[in-house]
Amino acid sequence: MSVTIIRKKKKFSDQPNFSVKKMYRPSDVKETGLAFIGHEISDDGKVMNQFLHYDQLYTIRHGWNSKFFKGLLEGKIWGTRCPKCGDIWVPIRTHCWNLDCDLEITEWIEMPLTAKVHTWTIAGWSGRSSLKRLPIILVYAVIGDSKVAIANELHGIDPWDVEFQMPLKVVFKPKEERVGAVTDFHFEPAEGWTPSPMNPEKERIKKLVEPVYEWVKTMK
Amino acid sequence: MTRRVCIVGGATTPFDYGPTGFESIEGGAAECIREVQRDIPNFSLIDVDLMIYSHFSVHFGHQLCSEWIIHDHLGLVGVPHYRVENGGNTGGSALYAAALAVKSGQHDVVGVIGWETMDSVSQSQGSEFIALASDIRYELLVGGIYPIYYAAMANKWMKDNNVNEEDVASIGAKNRNHAMDNPKAQWYRNEHKYITVDDVMNSRLISYPIKKYDCCLMSRGVAFLLVCSEEYAKKVNPDHYCTLDGLGLSSCTIRAGDRLNFPGWTKRYGEGYPEMTEFGACRASAEMAYKMADIKNPLKEIDFGEIHDAFSTSEAQIYKALGLADTENIAQFLRDEQTHMHGEIPMNPGGGLMGYGHPVGATGIMSSIECFYQLAGMIPKKHLSKKTEVPNANCGIVNSHAGTGTSISNFIMRRH
């Protein structure tokens, strides 16, 4: 009689345990799966439309990038640096972008909370989840000695006063409001910065932005 | 010597948005093919030995593998098929794949079908879905929609190149007015009016310096293009086929802010390029296509183009990336209306994304079809008049563009 011995498979790595867990999801959002929830038929009887609803909870697994997002909860901006070529990035890269460095694994460094505007725009329209916050000043800014610019909102000034190269500070939301996303911080002008006088471009922007303020007031 | 790639026919459904006259994606695909069969009666689906499907987003399609629905609806069981997806450059990438298939000798007759049904969700939700192609961990929550990223890039580009709002607004007006001569164009079918630069300037702010009429349309539509070997082209459309003489495809960063100092670009083009302002992938892919088609002076040798005007600002940026103008003369190039019908190199006589529409997966295919119509002398038949016909066109460029310039293809098409 032959005996088959089944050995317990060795685990490749230990499963992490998640004892800190917070859900910000509104209580009225239900994960219902796929559902056909209605239909409409045209008056001439020729065409039918059907309404499909689904609501899906995704898990974004930050994995090796986790330190950056965890840092936001703590009011810190983490960057990474290549130990070979010295390039620094926020947003971070876990491997160097320089092909001569052969995907060198980068090291984490804490970035200063100062930045400079590289370019900017003033949004008068946005995605569904941002409409009520319009107008929004969006800047691409270089934090510290980063080789790349990161996008975020600029608060604390009138939209028409934003300037190229203006110095900024990184400002975090109060700790209890942070969720570990880039919206945990925004930029504000650095101490001592003052806007330049009004000019024709600023007047033009002001004229374009005024109806946006009015429109947002009418939103429910 | 590899084989020549030819284009013998193509057609789109009318591009539209909303509940009017929608025929279903598979019905639309069938109607596009029927139109091509009316144009070239010797073409039969029996001859097709590969189908490439060009579709951007399942979020709009609410159906995984919707190409499977189209494919068997067309009666094509057994014929190989696959889908290409590459953001806004999905159509261009599908054409690239089709061209490679023919060039390699593996396939002779390749059908390319592109489609998108962006009206399956609200406009603002649709904008947010498209923005899922930005890096959602860093950009979606703070920008939210593509026009904002493009506006930030364009704002600096315009300052660096002395280009003003009116200069780019003229592109928004041009392409919409071209669409008024094209019965399949969404602008013709819906808003249906000629507009001026002032109308663009007075349209509502989307993201400074971009206004509503600087933006393309969100659309529903299907398009079909027939790509083949020269042997087959001579068989079905001997008098009016075109050759795809140059192809180029290139890539750039997903986040626009990451291209300020990228080593791959620095090595190729030197420090400070493409910055956040230029489309490096457009320049690189154009250079590939020009080299292959032996084009030395694009402004003189190319007669017209159908290019990716997602925004009037990006059409202007593309002119520069294609080498039609440089920092010194781009503003004057725009003010001289060199890309209007009366200019040196008319751009988007078919209406472009701002006039014809932008159902993402179908868009690059639509641009290729319009380019083919010009070269094959079919504009009087397909448009409402000769106003949007480029006289004696021998060489056209097709451009397809994704992300914040993240993937870009260029094609040189010639009358044979």
Side-chain angles (χ1 to χ4, degrees), chain A:
Chain A
M1 195 174 99
S2 68
V3 178
T4 311
I5 299 169
I6 301 168
R7 289 215 178 91
K8 228 181 172 182
K9 215 175 180 181
K10 204 184 159 207
K11 277 184 186 170
F12 289 107
S13 64
D14 292 328
Q15 287 291 315
N17 185 45
F18 294 91
S19 53
V20 177
K21 186 168 183 171
K22 288 187 179 170
M23 299 295 273
Y24 320 105
R25 191 180 223 204
S27 57
D28 58 340
V29 178
K30 300 272 185 295
E31 218 176 330
T32 53
L34 296 165
F36 285 87
I37 56 157
H39 67 258
E40 61 187 5
I41 295 168
S42 65
D43 293 347
D44 63 7
K46 285 183 180 167
V47 184
M48 174 167 166
N49 296 325
Q50 198 133 32
F51 304 117
L52 168 68
H53 179 90
Y54 66 87
D55 169 27
Q56 183 59 53
L57 177 71
Y58 282 93
T59 302
I60 301 176
R61 299 185 189 278
H62 284 305
W64 289 4
N65 301 317
S66 296
K67 194 178 177 86
F68 175 82
F69 297 98
K70 203 168 130 280
L72 297 174
L73 291 171
E74 295 154 5
K76 290 177 179 174
I77 302 282
W78 284 99
T80 57
R81 176 172 58 199
C82 173
K84 272 194 183 171
C85 72
D87 279 0
I88 294 171
W89 307 273
V90 195
I92 58 113
R93 288 171 181 267
T94 56
H95 299 80
C96 184
W97 64 2
N98 194 331
L99 298 182
D100 294 331
C101 294
D102 287 325
L103 297 173
E104 182 75 14
I105 291 177
T106 58
E107 56 201 16
W108 290 94
I109 52 166
E110 192 175 340
M111 301 298 288
L113 300 180
T114 53
K116 218 173 224 185
V117 171
H118 186 78
T119 188
W120 53 271
T121 182
I122 296 145
W125 175 249
S126 190
R128 208 170 184 174
S129 53
S130 307
L131 291 175
K132 285 183 188 165
R133 294 185 297 116
L134 296 171
I136 293 168
I137 312 173
L138 184 94
V139 296
Y140 278 85
V142 174
I143 296 178
D145 290 327
S146 173
K147 287 277 185 182
V148 297
I150 187 167
N152 215 323
E153 291 179 18
L154 171 56
H155 296 178
I157 58 168
D158 287 322
W160 44 88
D161 281 332
V162 56
E163 286 172 14
F164 292 98
Q165 294 299 319
M166 69 181 277
L168 305 172
K169 60 181 178 182
V170 173
V171 178
F172 279 90
K173 281 181 181 169
K175 193 161 189 171
E176 60 280 7
E177 291 175 25
R178 296 178 204 153
V179 298
V182 285
T183 43
D184 284 354
F185 78 93
H186 60 263
F187 295 110
E188 287 182 17
E191 307 302 334
W193 177 85
T194 51
S196 60
M198 287 303 279
N199 60 33
E201 187 185 19
K202 289 185 174 201
E203 296 288 357
R204 164 72 177 157
I205 294 172
K206 198 171 174 186
K207 194 177 147 219
L208 283 167
V209 166
E210 270 161 1
V212 179
Y213 285 113
E214 293 306 310
W215 175 67
V216 170
K217 274 187 211 161
T218 66
M219 282 177 69
K220 282 177 189 164

Side-chain angles (χ1 to χ4, degrees), chain B residues 224-254:
Chain B
F224 170 71
L225 183 72
L226 191 56
V227 181
C228 63
S229 63
E230 192 155 28
E231 193 186 351
Y232 186 77
K234 283 179 175 164
K235 194 174 132 194
V236 298
N237 193 3
D239 300 328
H240 298 295
Y241 71 85
C242 296
T243 53
L244 205 55
D245 289 351
L247 10 150
L249 175 65
S250 180
S251 59
C252 195
T253 59
I254 178 169

Side-chain angles (χ1 to χ4, degrees), chain B residues 75-95:
Chain B
L76 296 173
V77 289
V79 176
H81 67 342
Y82 64 89
R83 170 184 158 201
V84 169
E85 187 276 307
N86 206 1
N89 185 21
T90 295
S93 304
L95 176 57

